[in-house]
Amino acid sequence: WGFCLPCVQLWRTFLLTPFKLITVFLHETSHALACKLTCGDVEGMQVHANEGGVTQTRGGIYWIILPAGYLGSSFWGMVFILSSTHLLATRIAAGCFILALVIVLFVAKNWFLRWLCIGFIIFIAVVWVIQEFTTFHVLKYVILFIGVMNSLFSVYDIYDDTISRRVNSSDAEKFAEICPCPCNGVGWGVIWGFISFIFLCASIYLGLVILS
């Protein structure tokens, strides 16, 4: 909650922009991971300065790939929050995060995403070194902050893209087109938003249980 309040206060400032962009990165990475897990091919990824992104895929199971972006971002937010409760788990999360950044660096289709990956690789590495050579466990607070930002931004992004305004190219609208259920993009946005909010609440509850 200590991170949630500053995030809300500074939401529209440039200070949070890099962390919003890394949330978009994890959103697109979740699409790519869902594609690979359903035997598809990832042809490229892009993240743009306007906090938009696209993942180009071929094959795979489309109705799994589409919701994986929003829900995957929320899931990774929960994983990061819970990882910050233990020093070893923090190191594992940071290592996996750096590995993901390195992999995406080679499949990125625009230079903005490449520079974003390079910037965060250097940032996480420097923070990790500081933690190892000082008594201040700064890495766990960075991982926690990234987790909180992912959880908050994914819920906000679902609301902004699918509920408050209809974006015809959104994942929810595309999912509504292929899903046989009589539910439009707004309906799927509400469902995904509710699931994302459950991930956020679960991370807070489980984190408190672990810390207690």
Side-chain angles (χ1 to χ4, degrees), residues 95-166:
C96 291
F97 184 42
I98 290 175
L99 178 61
L101 289 165
V102 171
I103 292 172
V104 172
L105 182 62
F106 291 99
V107 298
K109 289 295 185 180
N110 65 328
W111 275 102
F112 186 83
L113 177 54
R114 294 189 185 103
W115 284 115
L116 180 68
C117 290
I118 293 170
F120 265 88
I121 290 170
I122 295 171
F123 173 66
I124 297 297
V126 169
V127 169
W128 199 334
V129 170
I130 291 173
Q131 172 168 289
E132 296 302 320
F133 289 95
T134 65
T135 57
F136 182 45
H137 295 159
V138 64
L139 182 62
K140 79 172 186 177
Y141 292 109
V142 171
I143 293 297
L144 174 60
F145 185 74
I146 293 174
V148 169
M149 274 297 302
N150 264 274
S151 298
L152 290 177
F153 192 63
S154 60
V155 173
Y156 170 79
D157 207 25
I158 291 172
Y159 172 78
D160 188 50
D161 285 351
T162 65
I163 300 174
S164 69
R165 58 190 178 94
R166 295 283 295 274

Side-chain angles (χ1 to χ4, degrees), residues 4-26:
C4 284
L5 294 177
C7 284
V8 172
Q9 292 293 325
L10 301 172
W11 193 258
R12 298 194 180 278
T13 67
F14 71 93
L15 295 174
L16 293 185
T17 298
F19 296 96
K20 288 181 180 180
L21 291 170
I22 212 64
T23 300
V24 178
F25 161 84
L26 288 170

